[in-house]
Amino acid sequence: MTGQATTPDVTAIQEWLLGTCRDLGLAATEPGHDFFETGGTSLTAIKLIAKAEERYGDGALPPDDLFTQSSLHGIAASIGRNATVTGTSGEPRA
């Protein structure tokens, strides 16, 4: 089924999200942490949305979801629902 859209694994998304948040300078170390409580701002939110779209497809992380479900677990779940990746387990788009 290579080349067909798949739903990325939420655990893989959480791992990617934690690493990305650390790359953005946030103090996030576990999925239960809140994006904004770990140092996230509106600027880092925009950067995170752009990175999520680059990896998981356009619309992968709607801004409304980020602001209303700001735990990293909630953000990962939103990406999992909205992702349009091809390949397996949330691999980056080619």
XYZ file of all heavy atoms in Angstrom:
682
model
N 0.811 -1.200 0.000
C 0.000 0.000 0.000
C 0.848 1.255 0.000
O 0.412 2.296 0.415
C -0.912 0.007 1.228
C -1.976 -1.018 1.183
S -3.159 -0.658 2.494
C -4.202 -2.029 2.291
N 2.059 1.145 -0.410
C 2.934 2.297 -0.469
C 2.336 3.369 -1.363
O 1.788 3.082 -2.408
C 4.315 1.879 -0.998
O 4.816 0.838 -0.160
C 5.274 3.035 -1.003
N 2.438 4.629 -0.921
C 1.935 5.729 -1.713
C 0.523 6.137 -1.356
O 0.050 7.165 -1.790
N -0.186 5.318 -0.565
C -1.523 5.688 -0.149
C -1.444 6.459 1.158
O -0.550 6.257 1.969
C -2.389 4.447 0.047
C -2.682 3.726 -1.247
C -3.613 2.542 -1.018
O -3.904 2.176 0.108
N -4.079 1.957 -2.099
N -2.406 7.350 1.356
C -2.439 8.121 2.591
C -2.681 7.183 3.760
O -3.486 6.265 3.684
C -3.531 9.176 2.525
N -1.941 7.393 4.830
C -2.104 6.610 6.040
C -2.254 7.544 7.218
O -1.847 8.695 7.162
C -0.884 5.697 6.282
O 0.274 6.514 6.426
C -0.688 4.703 5.159
N -2.833 7.034 8.282
C -2.937 7.818 9.496
C -1.660 7.599 10.299
O -1.337 6.464 10.635
C -4.155 7.385 10.322
O -5.317 7.524 9.511
C -4.298 8.223 11.568
N -0.937 8.661 10.600
C 0.299 8.499 11.353
C 0.034 7.995 12.768
O -1.012 8.266 13.342
C 0.900 9.900 11.407
C 0.121 10.721 10.461
C -1.175 10.033 10.220
N 0.977 7.270 13.304
C 0.913 6.777 14.672
C 1.037 7.954 15.642
O 1.973 8.746 15.537
C 2.050 5.775 14.873
C 2.144 5.277 16.287
O 1.095 4.905 16.855
O 3.270 5.257 16.819
N 0.101 8.056 16.591
C 0.100 9.182 17.529
C 1.371 9.196 18.370
O 1.908 10.260 18.673
C -1.164 9.166 18.416
C -1.112 10.247 19.477
C -2.408 9.356 17.563
N 1.902 8.027 18.716
C 3.146 7.978 19.486
C 4.300 8.580 18.687
O 5.108 9.343 19.228
C 3.473 6.528 19.900
O 2.377 6.015 20.663
C 4.744 6.465 20.728
N 4.361 8.259 17.406
C 5.401 8.829 16.544
C 5.221 10.343 16.426
O 6.201 11.094 16.431
C 5.373 8.178 15.167
N 3.982 10.791 16.348
C 3.717 12.232 16.278
C 4.159 12.897 17.574
O 4.783 13.962 17.554
C 2.226 12.515 16.000
C 1.832 12.000 14.626
C 1.936 14.009 16.103
C 0.338 12.033 14.359
N 3.855 12.281 18.715
C 4.261 12.858 20.001
C 5.775 12.975 20.098
O 6.291 13.985 20.575
C 3.724 12.024 21.161
C 2.242 12.187 21.375
C 1.697 11.320 22.492
O 2.385 10.473 23.052
N 0.442 11.527 22.813
N 6.483 11.956 19.637
C 7.951 12.011 19.655
C 8.452 13.146 18.765
O 9.348 13.893 19.157
C 8.538 10.674 19.218
C 8.315 9.571 20.220
C 8.769 8.207 19.719
O 9.492 8.144 18.693
O 8.402 7.203 20.350
N 7.888 13.249 17.564
C 8.268 14.342 16.663
C 7.947 15.686 17.318
O 8.762 16.615 17.285
C 7.518 14.205 15.329
C 7.713 15.406 14.465
C 8.754 15.647 13.621
C 6.857 16.553 14.383
N 8.602 16.874 13.021
C 7.443 17.449 13.477
C 5.651 16.910 14.999
C 6.875 18.683 13.166
C 5.072 18.133 14.692
C 5.685 19.007 13.778
N 6.770 15.786 17.930
C 6.332 17.035 18.550
C 7.242 17.445 19.698
O 7.628 18.613 19.803
C 4.887 16.880 19.021
C 4.222 18.095 19.636
C 4.207 19.270 18.660
C 2.796 17.750 20.064
N 7.609 16.507 20.557
C 8.519 16.827 21.658
C 9.855 17.336 21.133
O 10.383 18.342 21.619
C 8.730 15.599 22.551
C 7.588 15.279 23.498
C 7.751 13.887 24.091
C 7.509 16.326 24.603
N 10.408 16.667 20.140
C 11.678 17.109 19.556
C 11.557 18.471 18.908
O 12.443 19.322 19.054
N 10.463 18.697 18.209
C 10.254 19.978 17.543
C 10.095 21.095 18.559
O 10.661 22.185 18.388
C 9.029 19.906 16.615
O 9.269 18.868 15.644
C 8.791 21.217 15.893
N 9.357 20.826 19.630
C 9.201 21.848 20.680
C 10.542 22.181 21.312
O 10.844 23.353 21.555
C 8.198 21.378 21.728
S 6.479 21.474 21.165
N 11.359 21.177 21.558
C 12.704 21.440 22.109
C 13.524 22.255 21.120
O 14.237 23.184 21.516
C 13.400 20.130 22.477
C 12.858 19.522 23.757
C 13.718 18.369 24.246
N 13.732 17.248 23.320
C 12.891 16.216 23.358
N 11.958 16.166 24.278
N 12.989 15.251 22.471
N 13.422 21.937 19.828
C 14.133 22.705 18.800
C 13.685 24.166 18.784
O 14.472 25.055 18.447
C 13.922 22.110 17.409
C 14.613 20.769 17.223
O 15.461 20.398 18.071
O 14.292 20.081 16.231
N 12.431 24.399 19.148
C 11.898 25.764 19.195
C 12.233 26.465 20.519
O 11.838 27.604 20.735
C 10.374 25.741 18.999
C 9.897 25.328 17.600
C 8.381 25.147 17.590
C 10.316 26.373 16.569
N 12.953 25.769 21.394
C 13.389 26.369 22.645
C 12.427 26.204 23.801
O 12.577 26.874 24.839
N 11.461 25.307 23.667
C 10.491 25.099 24.737
C 10.991 24.051 25.719
O 11.796 23.190 25.375
C 9.140 24.666 24.162
C 8.548 25.585 23.094
C 7.198 25.066 22.638
C 8.429 27.004 23.604
N 10.497 24.103 26.947
C 10.911 23.179 27.993
C 9.986 21.969 28.068
O 9.710 21.457 29.149
C 10.937 23.911 29.337
N 9.503 21.495 26.944
C 8.588 20.359 26.897
C 9.367 19.052 26.983
O 10.299 18.843 26.217
C 7.783 20.399 25.605
N 8.972 18.191 27.928
C 9.654 16.915 28.078
C 8.711 15.721 28.075
O 9.168 14.588 28.044
C 10.481 16.872 29.377
O 9.605 17.107 30.481
C 11.590 17.908 29.354
N 7.395 15.972 28.128
C 6.437 14.863 28.102
C 5.123 15.305 27.466
O 4.800 16.497 27.446
C 6.209 14.300 29.496
C 5.684 15.297 30.492
C 5.595 14.706 31.885
O 6.645 14.349 32.448
O 4.462 14.611 32.390
N 4.349 14.343 26.930
C 3.129 14.674 26.205
C 2.082 15.431 27.027
O 1.267 16.159 26.466
C 2.581 13.309 25.776
C 3.768 12.422 25.736
C 4.668 12.918 26.838
N 2.110 15.321 28.336
C 1.138 16.016 29.166
C 1.423 17.495 29.350
O 0.573 18.234 29.853
N 2.604 17.943 28.950
C 2.943 19.356 29.110
C 2.108 20.234 28.186
O 1.726 19.825 27.097
C 4.427 19.592 28.833
C 5.308 19.164 29.958
N 6.634 18.879 29.791
C 5.059 18.970 31.273
C 7.165 18.543 30.953
N 6.220 18.571 31.862
N 1.868 21.441 28.631
C 1.112 22.423 27.852
C 2.089 23.254 27.018
O 3.098 23.739 27.533
C 0.312 23.325 28.787
C -0.539 24.310 28.025
O -0.027 25.412 27.710
O -1.703 23.993 27.744
N 1.768 23.412 25.743
C 2.618 24.155 24.822
C 2.945 25.552 25.359
O 4.096 25.976 25.347
C 1.917 24.249 23.460
C 2.644 25.074 22.447
C 3.711 24.546 21.740
C 2.265 26.383 22.185
C 4.386 25.305 20.802
C 2.931 27.147 21.246
C 3.998 26.608 20.556
N 1.949 26.253 25.850
C 2.155 27.636 26.290
C 2.842 27.707 27.655
O 3.637 28.608 27.897
C 0.838 28.403 26.281
C 0.283 28.537 24.888
C -0.769 27.749 24.467
C 0.854 29.410 23.966
C -1.259 27.839 23.168
C 0.385 29.506 22.672
C -0.682 28.715 22.271
N 2.575 26.742 28.521
C 3.222 26.732 29.834
C 4.701 26.374 29.750
O 5.454 26.648 30.669
C 2.491 25.778 30.774
C 1.119 26.296 31.170
C 0.348 25.332 32.052
O 0.909 24.289 32.464
O -0.831 25.623 32.325
N 5.114 25.746 28.661
C 6.536 25.406 28.487
C 7.308 26.498 27.769
O 8.466 26.309 27.421
C 6.702 24.070 27.729
O 6.131 24.196 26.426
C 6.064 22.924 28.482
N 6.645 27.634 27.530
C 7.322 28.764 26.908
C 6.818 29.115 25.518
O 7.358 30.013 24.872
N 5.791 28.413 25.040
C 5.243 28.696 23.719
C 4.589 30.070 23.657
O 3.968 30.508 24.612
N 4.772 30.733 22.545
C 4.185 32.048 22.299
C 3.439 31.988 20.966
O 3.478 30.960 20.271
C 5.279 33.128 22.201
O 6.099 32.828 21.048
C 6.139 33.189 23.449
N 2.813 33.079 20.591
C 2.131 33.090 19.294
C 3.134 32.893 18.155
O 2.828 32.241 17.156
C 1.334 34.378 19.106
O 2.160 35.511 19.229
N 4.349 33.399 18.305
C 5.371 33.214 17.271
C 5.804 31.752 17.175
O 5.905 31.201 16.076
C 6.579 34.110 17.537
C 7.708 34.025 16.515
C 7.211 34.358 15.107
C 8.842 34.958 16.893
N 6.048 31.111 18.318
C 6.432 29.695 18.258
C 5.256 28.834 17.793
O 5.466 27.799 17.166
C 6.991 29.176 19.594
O 6.076 29.487 20.644
C 8.351 29.759 19.901
N 4.033 29.274 18.070
C 2.851 28.549 17.578
C 2.838 28.561 16.053
O 2.603 27.525 15.417
C 1.570 29.162 18.136
N 3.113 29.709 15.471
C 3.149 29.811 14.007
C 4.254 28.910 13.445
O 4.059 28.218 12.446
C 3.348 31.281 13.570
C 2.093 32.088 13.897
C 3.689 31.378 12.087
C 2.270 33.581 13.789
N 5.400 28.904 14.095
C 6.503 28.058 13.643
C 6.138 26.580 13.749
O 6.440 25.792 12.850
C 7.769 28.351 14.450
C 8.365 29.709 14.142
C 9.579 29.969 15.009
C 10.187 31.329 14.711
N 11.374 31.591 15.555
N 5.479 26.209 14.844
C 5.078 24.818 15.023
C 4.055 24.408 13.969
O 4.149 23.322 13.388
C 4.509 24.585 16.422
C 4.024 23.166 16.706
C 5.169 22.164 16.559
C 3.399 23.085 18.089
N 3.094 25.260 13.702
C 2.084 24.973 12.674
C 2.757 24.763 11.322
O 2.448 23.812 10.598
C 1.033 26.099 12.616
C 0.169 26.061 13.887
C 0.172 25.987 11.365
C -0.689 27.300 14.092
N 3.720 25.627 10.990
C 4.426 25.504 9.709
C 5.207 24.194 9.637
O 5.199 23.506 8.607
C 5.361 26.702 9.506
N 5.869 23.825 10.724
C 6.633 22.577 10.741
C 5.706 21.361 10.639
O 6.025 20.392 9.959
C 7.507 22.498 11.990
C 8.681 23.474 11.957
C 9.512 23.353 13.217
C 10.704 24.278 13.189
N 11.709 23.917 12.206
N 4.559 21.428 11.311
C 3.591 20.329 11.241
C 3.063 20.176 9.817
O 2.917 19.061 9.310
C 2.443 20.564 12.222
N 2.792 21.295 9.162
C 2.290 21.228 7.783
C 3.359 20.714 6.829
O 3.062 19.976 5.895
C 1.771 22.592 7.345
C 0.475 22.950 8.032
C -0.181 24.204 7.492
O 0.469 24.972 6.750
O -1.349 24.412 7.836
N 4.600 21.090 7.081
C 5.692 20.611 6.236
C 5.829 19.095 6.340
O 6.048 18.407 5.351
C 6.995 21.293 6.671
C 8.201 20.898 5.866
C 9.442 21.619 6.350
O 9.466 22.857 6.339
O 10.382 20.912 6.756
N 5.687 18.590 7.541
C 5.877 17.145 7.760
C 4.615 16.329 7.505
O 4.683 15.232 6.953
C 6.353 16.890 9.178
C 6.622 15.422 9.434
C 7.438 15.227 10.669
N 7.675 13.824 10.897
C 8.859 13.258 10.922
N 9.926 13.978 10.724
N 8.979 11.979 11.158
N 3.450 16.846 7.932
C 2.223 16.046 7.916
C 1.157 16.537 6.940
O 0.069 15.993 6.899
C 1.634 15.967 9.328
C 2.529 15.212 10.273
C 3.285 15.882 11.223
C 2.636 13.832 10.202
C 4.117 15.179 12.095
C 3.467 13.121 11.056
C 4.200 13.812 12.002
O 5.023 13.107 12.847
N 1.440 17.578 6.178
C 0.501 18.041 5.166
C -0.220 19.318 5.562
O -0.319 19.663 6.741
N -0.718 20.009 4.554
C -1.441 21.263 4.783
C -2.640 21.026 5.692
O -3.370 20.049 5.531
C -1.917 21.859 3.459
C -0.761 22.351 2.599
O 0.335 22.580 3.150
O -0.949 22.492 1.373
N -2.814 21.912 6.641
C -3.947 21.818 7.560
C -3.765 20.794 8.660
O -4.707 20.489 9.384
N -2.535 20.256 8.817
C -2.301 19.226 9.835
C -2.540 19.736 11.247
O -2.994 18.988 12.109
C -0.882 18.677 9.715
N -2.244 21.000 11.489
C -2.443 21.573 12.821
C -3.164 22.904 12.692
O -2.538 23.961 12.577
C -1.097 21.753 13.544
C -1.159 22.339 14.957
C -2.100 21.535 15.852
C 0.224 22.404 15.562
N -4.500 22.867 12.705
C -5.254 24.121 12.624
C -4.960 25.002 13.850
O -4.884 24.493 14.972
C -6.718 23.667 12.634
C -6.677 22.232 12.203
C -5.362 21.699 12.710
N -4.787 26.298 13.650
C -4.502 27.183 14.780
C -5.519 27.060 15.912
O -5.142 27.068 17.089
C -4.533 28.586 14.159
C -4.175 28.347 12.725
C -4.771 27.010 12.376
N -6.794 26.916 15.578
C -7.809 26.769 16.625
C -7.529 25.563 17.511
O -7.708 25.631 18.730
C -9.208 26.634 16.017
C -9.737 27.943 15.462
O -9.113 28.998 15.714
O -10.764 27.903 14.764
N -7.092 24.463 16.908
C -6.780 23.266 17.699
C -5.611 23.527 18.632
O -5.634 23.111 19.791
C -6.450 22.085 16.790
C -7.670 21.467 16.138
O -8.794 21.970 16.346
O -7.501 20.477 15.400
N -4.598 24.206 18.142
C -3.425 24.486 18.972
C -3.798 25.334 20.182
O -3.347 25.082 21.291
C -2.342 25.182 18.151
C -1.093 25.637 18.915
C -0.400 24.475 19.607
C -0.134 26.325 17.981
N -4.655 26.310 19.978
C -5.009 27.204 21.076
C -6.044 26.601 22.027
O -6.069 26.942 23.201
C -5.480 28.556 20.535
C -4.342 29.376 19.992
C -4.056 29.389 18.641
C -3.523 30.107 20.840
C -2.996 30.125 18.145
C -2.449 30.849 20.362
C -2.177 30.849 19.005
N -6.893 25.695 21.544
C -7.911 25.112 22.430
C -7.472 23.789 23.035
O -7.999 23.387 24.070
C -9.256 24.905 21.689
O -9.055 24.030 20.587
C -9.826 26.225 21.225
N -6.534 23.094 22.406
C -6.028 21.805 22.900
C -4.520 21.913 23.028
O -3.788 21.246 22.297
C -6.400 20.692 21.924
C -7.869 20.578 21.666
C -8.152 19.601 20.543
O -7.486 18.585 20.399
N -9.150 19.906 19.735
N -4.048 22.746 23.926
C -2.633 23.104 23.935
C -1.721 22.123 24.664
O -0.514 22.340 24.703
C -2.451 24.517 24.499
O -2.956 24.597 25.811
N -2.275 21.027 25.219
C -1.363 20.009 25.743
C -0.690 19.351 24.541
O -1.270 19.271 23.456
C -2.108 18.952 26.563
O -2.850 18.093 25.719
N 0.515 18.890 24.726
C 1.213 18.250 23.605
C 0.458 17.010 23.145
O 0.408 16.716 21.950
C 2.654 17.924 23.979
C 3.526 19.139 24.324
C 4.965 18.715 24.524
C 3.433 20.225 23.268
N -0.185 16.316 24.086
C -0.998 15.160 23.709
C -2.161 15.594 22.818
O -2.443 14.957 21.800
C -1.526 14.447 24.960
C -2.387 13.276 24.640
N -1.876 12.088 24.188
C -3.730 13.128 24.693
C -2.874 11.244 23.972
N -4.007 11.842 24.267
N -2.820 16.689 23.159
C -3.921 17.209 22.353
C -3.464 17.682 20.990
O -4.150 17.467 19.983
N -2.300 18.315 20.944
C -1.749 18.780 19.668
C -1.425 17.584 18.778
O -1.750 17.578 17.584
C -0.504 19.654 19.903
C -0.900 20.957 20.620
C 0.209 19.959 18.591
C 0.277 21.756 21.152
N -0.809 16.548 19.362
C -0.481 15.348 18.592
C -1.750 14.677 18.063
O -1.786 14.222 16.917
C 0.327 14.372 19.449
N -2.794 14.634 18.878
C -4.062 14.037 18.438
C -4.651 14.830 17.278
O -5.173 14.259 16.316
C -5.042 13.969 19.601
N -4.562 16.156 17.344
C -5.063 16.995 16.258
C -4.299 16.720 14.967
O -4.896 16.556 13.905
C -4.940 18.476 16.637
O -5.319 19.290 15.557
N -2.984 16.644 15.074
C -2.171 16.346 13.886
C -2.561 14.977 13.327
O -2.716 14.819 12.114
C -0.666 16.412 14.214
C -0.262 17.856 14.542
C 0.165 15.867 13.043
C 1.143 17.992 15.106
N -2.749 13.994 14.205
C -3.134 12.660 13.759
C -4.460 12.654 13.013
O -4.617 11.945 12.017
N -5.409 13.460 13.468
C -6.722 13.546 12.803
C -6.639 14.245 11.452
O -7.391 13.925 10.539
C -7.711 14.335 13.671
C -8.318 13.587 14.808
C -9.462 14.361 15.440
N -9.117 15.730 15.802
C -8.559 16.106 16.938
N -8.251 15.194 17.855
N -8.293 17.366 17.188
N -5.756 15.227 11.345
C -5.732 16.094 10.171
C -4.616 15.797 9.179
O -4.568 16.409 8.116
C -5.611 17.556 10.623
C -6.803 17.983 11.421
O -7.932 17.940 10.952
N -6.572 18.380 12.667
N -3.708 14.894 9.536
C -2.545 14.614 8.685
C -2.948 14.055 7.333
O -3.919 13.311 7.221
C -1.602 13.641 9.390
N -2.183 14.438 6.338
C -2.402 13.925 4.979
C -1.098 13.377 4.418
O -0.827 13.504 3.230
C -2.931 15.043 4.052
O -1.993 16.129 4.060
C -4.285 15.517 4.477
N -0.291 12.747 5.280
C 0.996 12.217 4.841
C 0.795 11.008 3.944
O -0.241 10.362 3.977
C 1.900 11.813 6.032
C 2.234 12.989 6.884
C 1.287 10.701 6.839
N 1.820 10.712 3.179
C 1.856 9.457 2.441
C 3.020 8.665 2.990
O 3.945 9.205 3.579
C 2.053 9.692 0.932
O 3.254 10.432 0.737
C 0.885 10.434 0.338
N 2.986 7.386 2.847
C 4.030 6.538 3.389
C 3.524 5.856 4.636
O 2.354 5.532 4.745
N 4.403 5.661 5.605
C 4.019 4.930 6.811
C 4.430 5.687 8.051
O 5.409 6.405 8.073
C 4.696 3.554 6.849
O 6.110 3.731 6.854
C 4.288 2.689 5.677
N 3.663 5.521 9.096
C 3.976 5.976 10.450
C 4.455 7.416 10.550
O 5.332 7.725 11.346
C 5.026 5.064 11.085
O 4.542 3.756 11.102
N 3.911 8.300 9.776
C 4.252 9.690 9.917
C 5.602 10.066 9.349
O 6.211 11.038 9.764
N 6.089 9.289 8.406
C 7.358 9.657 7.766
C 7.182 10.989 7.081
O 6.090 11.329 6.606
C 7.750 8.593 6.742
C 8.098 7.271 7.349
C 8.347 6.208 6.307
O 8.161 6.485 5.103
O 8.720 5.101 6.681
N 8.236 11.770 6.977
C 8.128 13.056 6.290
C 7.668 12.889 4.845
O 7.961 11.876 4.222
C 9.563 13.603 6.334
C 10.256 12.826 7.372
C 9.559 11.507 7.467
N 6.976 13.876 4.366
C 6.552 13.853 2.967
C 7.772 14.027 2.078
O 8.711 14.711 2.413
C 5.562 14.980 2.685
C 4.290 14.796 3.441
C 3.216 15.749 3.041
N 3.673 17.118 2.919
C 2.965 18.069 2.341
N 1.791 17.797 1.835
N 3.410 19.293 2.266
N 7.732 13.403 0.941
C 8.849 13.509 -0.023
C 8.769 14.807 -0.772
O 7.781 15.421 -0.921
C 8.810 12.340 -0.983
